[in-house]
Amino acid sequence: MNHKRLRIDFDHTLARTIRYPMMVKVTPLNRLIHAYVRYKKRHGWTIILDTLREGFALLIAKRFCYMYDIPIDYYNENTVESVAEWGENPRKIACEQSLDDTQIGFIGWLLRRFA
């Protein structure tokens, strides 16, 4: 596989969710993550939004990403290459890197602490 994949969560990672699914705000830390995602995309990474949102709530997340120029290649699905490698319905989104507000580590701690 040639492309590296970044899996990113939406709620409390790309945006601070105040009242699900509509009310979100953007903090300086969220803007830093937006810049990081754009950086990865410029360097050839495939970006996958992996969120529990579906239906109307997912449409809100897609619109948010469009408005804030966050380049998303796939929404809640594996890449074509991953499906070819792992089968039609793998249980996890395959990726080399994952960003989520609940992760252990410095970024996850910052997101929980200051977002």
Side-chain angles (χ1 to χ4, degrees):
M1 175 165 305
N2 297 345
H3 288 79
K4 290 194 174 188
R5 298 153 299 191
L6 170 65
R7 184 198 72 80
I8 188 155
D9 182 38
F10 182 77
D11 293 294
H12 305 296
T13 303
L14 289 177
R16 177 76 173 141
T17 305
I18 301 167
R19 190 170 14 137
Y20 182 87
M22 301 283 289
M23 297 295 293
V24 298
K25 73 175 186 176
V26 178
T27 67
L29 189 55
N30 296 128
R31 289 189 190 279
L32 180 64
I33 292 169
H34 298 176
Y36 181 75
V37 172
R38 287 186 212 102
Y39 170 84
K40 288 294 197 180
K41 183 64 180 172
R42 281 193 309 272
H43 285 83
W45 285 58
T46 298
I47 311 300
I48 304 168
L49 184 69
D50 185 20
T51 177
L52 291 176
R53 288 174 175 250
E54 56 185 21
F56 180 68
L58 180 58
L59 289 176
I60 292 169
K62 287 180 177 183
R63 177 79 175 150
F64 176 93
C65 291
Y66 175 79
M67 288 174 46
Y68 283 90
D69 193 30
I70 302 167
I72 304 295
D73 298 301
Y74 292 88
Y75 295 90
N76 292 335
E77 62 183 325
N78 272 297
T79 65
V80 173
E81 296 87 2
S82 294
V83 170
E85 183 177 349
W86 298 104
E88 186 71 28
N89 191 16
R91 295 183 303 144
K92 291 184 179 182
I93 301 292
C95 64
E96 283 70 35
Q97 186 177 15
S98 176
L99 288 177
D100 190 300
D101 63 301
T102 60
Q103 289 174 321
I104 297 173
F106 185 63
I107 293 294
W109 178 81
L110 284 173
L111 285 166
R112 288 189 306 277
R113 178 86 170 141
F114 297 108

